Amino acid sequence: MRAAIGDRIRVHSRTVGQAERAGEIIEVRGPEGTAPFLVRFTDGHEGLVYPGPDTIIDSADHD
């Protein structure tokens, strides 16, 4: 899975009743756009994400 700074990330919950987590990728630490990604989530916290099959990357328009 590849991403760029500014892309949006959505992580679906594996637990019934838990909300999806969403945020913006603020840093790409892997080579050539690969994981891990530093993400600023909508609740304000930041965390390192190693995306799994329950993750979707929404690409931002990059010039």
Side-chain angles (χ1 to χ4, degrees), residues 8-29:
R8 303 286 301 165
I9 189 168
R10 295 183 289 144
V11 181
H12 299 291
S13 175
R14 294 182 187 181
T15 305
V16 174
Q18 288 284 343
E20 173 181 274
R21 294 176 44 202
E24 179 182 356
I25 295 173
I26 58 174
E27 186 177 335
V28 177
R29 295 193 177 175

Side-chain angles (χ1 to χ4, degrees), residues 6-63:
D7 288 353
R8 303 286 301 165
I9 189 168
R10 295 183 289 144
V11 181
H12 299 291
S13 175
R14 294 182 187 181
T15 305
V16 174
Q18 288 284 343
E20 173 181 274
R21 294 176 44 202
E24 179 182 356
I25 295 173
I26 58 174
E27 186 177 335
V28 177
R29 295 193 177 175
E32 299 180 18
T34 60
F37 309 122
L38 184 61
V39 176
R40 181 175 297 126
F41 291 96
T42 54
D43 66 1
H45 87 274
E46 296 178 2
L48 202 55
V49 174
Y50 291 84
D54 56 346
T55 304
I56 296 171
I57 302 288
D58 296 319
S59 295
D61 292 331
H62 301 286
D63 294 329

